Amino acid sequence: MASASPSPGPGPGPGPSASPSPGPGRAVRAKALATVPETYDVPLVALNFRVRSRLSLYLNPPAQVSAYWPALAEELGFEYLEILNLQAQPDPTGRLLDAWQSRERATVGGLLAKLAKLERLDVLEDLRPGIDEDCKKYLKKQREAEAEKPLQVPAVDSSNPQTSELAGITILDDPRGQMPELFDAFICYCPSDIQFVHEMIQHLEQTDCRLKLCVSDRDVLPGTCIWSITSELIEKRCRRMVVVISDEYLQSNECDFQTKFALSLCPGARQKRLIPVKYKAMKKEFPSILRFITVCDYTNPCTKSWFWPRLAKALSQP
């Protein structure tokens, strides 16, 4: 079905207002697209949260004189019903990038080309320093990973293609690693708290919130190093991490590692990446490393009715 501009209900929709405004000449466009040679081959996953959230600030609000996210969605090949579904999301641009990233070999260069075609050179000029920095970091990590690989004879015991450790680590993951499964939040919990995690799934995934949670016992495939997997998921696959606090949590080495790793990615909680949740009374003291972060408290009967909407809103932030 050919893509079309939806116009659901009143207010500005992704129709005529999404048409690009007359842009500058070819020289300006060429300057905006000028980039390091490898950038076009860098996968979209290289872009970090800061760049993505900044892009959402530009493209989420309906614009009268320039293209916003529905025009980009059409350029990326999304159909009418898909765009309608994205329109219901709190961060349609972020969801659009996640969806495009998971359906084909999406690259940073491809995104830059589409933005240039839509004459959003204001976005390119503002984001290019951050984009170039993310691409360079990604390429540097790739080179370092290649350099650290041990010299050995390639395996010849199977004709099937071999996958890396961090490719195909979740139930819906692409085993080739080209379309990694992405999540709204990684859930850090102890096995003894699994019942509350089930309740969390019911309220956040199986309702209109439509959030996607990463629950290790449900989503992660067995057979690989748990430390490598959780680091990959927390840093690159999940936008947030929910920490289920309990007395048992304080005794878990695995939860301690996950919490400290997430905190190291956002010192001072500047990105609101980690959200502590207290769901039952505790005999021991609340973990000191989380005391400076606002807690979502399920134990307070006066605020219990606000708990799930408040947590869902925090996880939906761009």
Side-chain angles (χ1 to χ4, degrees):
M1 176 167 125
S3 61
S5 298
S7 53
S17 62
S19 59
S21 62
R26 293 183 179 178
V28 178
R29 180 184 296 186
K31 180 180 178 181
L33 276 176
T35 182
V36 292
E38 302 119 308
T39 297
Y40 272 75
D41 293 326
V42 171
L44 195 65
V45 71
L47 296 185
N48 66 18
F49 175 78
R50 183 181 59 81
V51 170
R52 291 169 183 255
S53 60
R54 188 74 180 168
L55 185 60
S56 294
L57 291 177
Y58 271 106
L59 299 183
N60 280 349
Q64 298 299 325
V65 296
S66 58
Y68 67 117
W69 72 264
L72 178 61
E74 291 187 356
E75 285 294 329
L76 296 177
F78 284 74
E79 298 180 351
Y80 174 81
L81 293 178
E82 293 175 312
I83 297 176
L84 278 181
N85 183 61
L86 288 170
Q87 198 166 36
Q89 303 298 324
D91 178 17
T93 300
R95 290 288 183 163
L96 171 63
L97 294 179
D98 290 345
W100 184 47
Q101 183 174 290
S102 64
R103 65 163 50 180
E104 59 180 277
R105 189 176 179 274
T107 64
V108 173
L111 177 63
L112 293 176
K114 297 300 184 184
L115 290 172
K117 183 177 180 181
L118 294 172
E119 304 291 357
R120 289 310 303 260
L121 304 187
D122 56 331
V123 181
L124 293 173
E125 287 185 11
D126 182 31
L127 298 186
R128 279 302 301 279
I131 291 175
D132 287 343
E133 182 181 353
D134 287 349
C135 290
K136 290 175 182 177
K137 286 181 179 179
Y138 179 87
L139 292 171
K140 182 180 178 182
K141 287 183 179 180
Q142 291 294 101
R143 289 192 292 267
E144 290 175 350
E146 288 295 326
E148 291 175 359
K149 285 183 179 179
L151 296 176
Q152 57 185 10
V153 178
V156 294
D157 58 335
S158 172
S159 59
N160 295 325
Q162 303 296 311
T163 58
S164 63
E165 180 185 13
L166 298 181
I169 61 177
T170 62
I171 293 293
L172 300 180
D173 225 344
D174 175 13
R176 296 168 297 178
Q178 295 181 357
M179 295 181 289
E181 187 178 10
L182 303 176
F183 302 88
D184 290 299
F186 180 91
I187 310 301
C188 172
Y189 64 96
C190 291
S192 58
D193 299 324
I194 189 64
Q195 285 302 119
F196 180 72
V197 175
H198 278 284
E199 189 173 352
M200 191 178 296
I201 291 172
Q202 292 174 0
H203 282 87
L204 299 179
E205 284 192 341
Q206 300 172 3
T207 62
D208 291 339
C209 297
R210 298 179 182 176
L211 293 168
K212 188 175 182 181
L213 308 180
C214 180
V215 179
S216 296
D217 290 307
R218 179 192 66 176
D219 299 313
V220 177
L221 296 174
T224 49
C225 175
I226 187 64
W227 308 110
S228 300
I229 288 176
T230 52
S231 299
E232 167 80 6
L233 290 169
I234 294 169
E235 181 178 8
K236 298 180 181 178
R237 308 283 196 92
C238 302
R239 296 189 301 116
R240 300 279 192 279
M241 186 171 95
V242 175
V243 184
V244 180
I245 307 295
S246 65
D247 288 329
E248 293 77 13
Y249 161 88
L250 298 173
Q251 305 300 318
S252 170
N253 290 331
E254 186 175 337
C255 289
D256 181 64
F257 166 79
Q258 293 171 3
T259 303
K260 290 178 178 177
F261 180 78
L263 284 173
S264 71
L265 299 175
C266 56
R270 288 193 298 268
Q271 297 177 344
K272 297 183 291 185
R273 186 170 187 141
L274 193 148
I275 302 173
V277 168
K278 181 181 177 183
Y279 85 99
K280 64 180 180 181
M282 297 176 61
K283 296 179 180 178
K284 301 177 181 178
E285 290 188 5
F286 196 83
S288 58
I289 60 174
L290 297 177
R291 285 177 182 169
F292 66 96
I293 303 178
T294 306
V295 178
C296 220
D297 193 350
Y298 194 64
T299 64
N300 188 343
C302 296
T303 60
K304 197 169 185 178
S305 60
W306 304 332
F307 176 85
W308 293 114
R310 186 167 172 242
L311 179 58
K313 184 66 176 179
L315 296 179
S316 300
Q317 293 294 309

